[in-house]
């Protein structure tokens, strides 16, 4: 029986889904180029999604669909608040991951790093330093959980050629890199 994989989180998820639709080929598929007999991939993203909004909007879908693996692309919109406390936010994120496993019976969780924004796309002038601090805070906590892994997006972290003019969302080059990165993360968790 195929494992169900859910990509869940903020606007990167629906933008990735749209990118795949525009560029479908043998190398770029909604199923991440994985064997459809082994993996079924679902996309559940909301523009502006924060951890509280994820709990409200996406957890009910997780209850209904019961994925084996959830790939989290989350935290960016939470960090981009002026007075956010990174350690409190990190603890809230870890609690969400634990909730997914314990109460929603998700076998495995791949938690993706928060990538940098261009300064013109961030509400907070120190967004990138907060993103770094957040990633450094949650990585060891996530990796200490036997069912979860922190995932570093290769070639997405500080690249200048991956963002649209808004400084927030990924352009086609960035979406292709995200696609490849998530694909690699899913394979690593299989």
């Amino acid at each position: 029986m195929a494992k169900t994989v859910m990509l869940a989180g903020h606007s990167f998820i629906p933008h990735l889904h749209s990118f795949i639709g525009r560029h479908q080929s043998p190398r770029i598929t909604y199923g991440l180029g994985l064997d459809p007999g082994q993996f079924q991939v679902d996309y559940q993203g909301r523009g502006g999604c924060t951890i509280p909004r994820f709990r409200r909007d996406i957890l009910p879908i997780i209850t209904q669909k019961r994925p084996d693996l959830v790939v989290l692309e989350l935290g960016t919109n939470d960090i981009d608040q002026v007075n956010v406390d990174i350690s409190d936010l990190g603890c809230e994120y870890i609690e969400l991951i634990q909730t997914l496993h314990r109460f929603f019976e998700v076998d495995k969780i791949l938690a993706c790093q928060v990538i940098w924004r261009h300064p013109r796309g961030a509400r907070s002038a120190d967004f990138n330093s907060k993103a770094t601090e957040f990633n450094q805070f949650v990585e060891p906590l996530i990796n200490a959980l036997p069912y979860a892994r922190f995932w570093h997006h290769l070639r997405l972290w500080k690249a200048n050629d991956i963002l649209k003019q808004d400084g927030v969302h990924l352009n086609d080059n960035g979406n292709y890199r995200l696609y490849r990165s998530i694909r690699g993360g899913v394979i690593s968790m299989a």
Side-chain angles (χ1 to χ4, degrees), residues 1-65:
M1 187 167 154
K3 291 185 179 190
T4 56
V5 177
M6 181 181 287
L7 311 185
H10 58 64
S11 60
F12 279 19
I13 303 304
H15 285 248
L16 178 63
H17 190 266
S18 294
F19 166 80
I20 293 167
R22 290 190 315 273
H23 298 281
Q24 271 194 334
S25 69
R27 291 183 50 202
I28 301 174
T29 68
Y30 288 116
L32 301 174
L34 302 169
D35 180 351
Q38 292 187 12
F39 297 97
Q40 296 296 315
V41 182
D42 185 31
Y43 295 76
Q44 295 297 329
R46 306 290 184 271
C49 193
T50 58
I51 294 170
R53 187 167 175 209
F54 185 95
R55 287 181 178 280
R56 184 188 75 219
D57 295 349
I58 298 178
L59 283 182
I61 298 168
I62 290 173
T63 299
Q64 177 188 22
K65 297 201 174 194

Side-chain angles (χ1 to χ4, degrees), residues 121-139:
R123 283 184 221 113
S124 170
D126 59 346
F127 175 86
N128 291 338
S129 63
K130 289 193 297 187
T132 300
E133 183 183 350
F134 176 80
N135 289 330
Q136 289 172 344
F137 181 85
V138 299
E139 181 176 8

Side-chain angles (χ1 to χ4, degrees), residues 21-164:
R22 290 190 315 273
H23 298 281
Q24 271 194 334
S25 69
R27 291 183 50 202
I28 301 174
T29 68
Y30 288 116
L32 301 174
L34 302 169
D35 180 351
Q38 292 187 12
F39 297 97
Q40 296 296 315
V41 182
D42 185 31
Y43 295 76
Q44 295 297 329
R46 306 290 184 271
C49 193
T50 58
I51 294 170
R53 187 167 175 209
F54 185 95
R55 287 181 178 280
R56 184 188 75 219
D57 295 349
I58 298 178
L59 283 182
I61 298 168
I62 290 173
T63 299
Q64 177 188 22
K65 297 201 174 194
R66 304 184 55 81
D68 299 297
L69 167 63
V70 170
V71 178
L72 283 177
E73 192 65 59
L74 194 61
T76 301
N77 294 304
D78 302 275
I79 288 170
D80 201 19
Q81 305 302 315
V82 177
N83 294 318
V84 68
D85 181 286
I86 295 300
S87 59
D88 288 347
L89 177 61
C91 290
E92 186 179 359
Y93 191 62
I94 299 303
E95 182 182 321
L96 173 65
I97 291 169
Q98 292 170 329
T99 298
L100 285 169
H101 181 69
R102 289 183 186 151
F103 300 108
F104 291 85
E105 300 177 349
V106 175
D107 291 335
K108 296 179 181 181
I109 297 108
L110 186 71
C112 298
Q113 78 181 110
V114 172
I115 68 165
W116 282 19
R117 288 183 170 179
H118 189 280
R120 74 176 161 266
R123 283 184 221 113
S124 170
D126 59 346
F127 175 86
N128 291 338
S129 63
K130 289 193 297 187
T132 300
E133 183 183 350
F134 176 80
N135 289 330
Q136 289 172 344
F137 181 85
V138 299
E139 181 176 8
L141 299 173
I142 292 168
N143 288 337
L145 302 170
Y147 49 84
R149 180 177 301 151
F150 182 84
W151 188 251
H152 292 271
H153 285 306
L154 297 177
R155 300 180 58 221
L156 276 172
W157 176 231
K158 297 180 185 177
N160 292 324
D161 61 340
I162 61 167
L163 297 174
K164 290 183 176 182

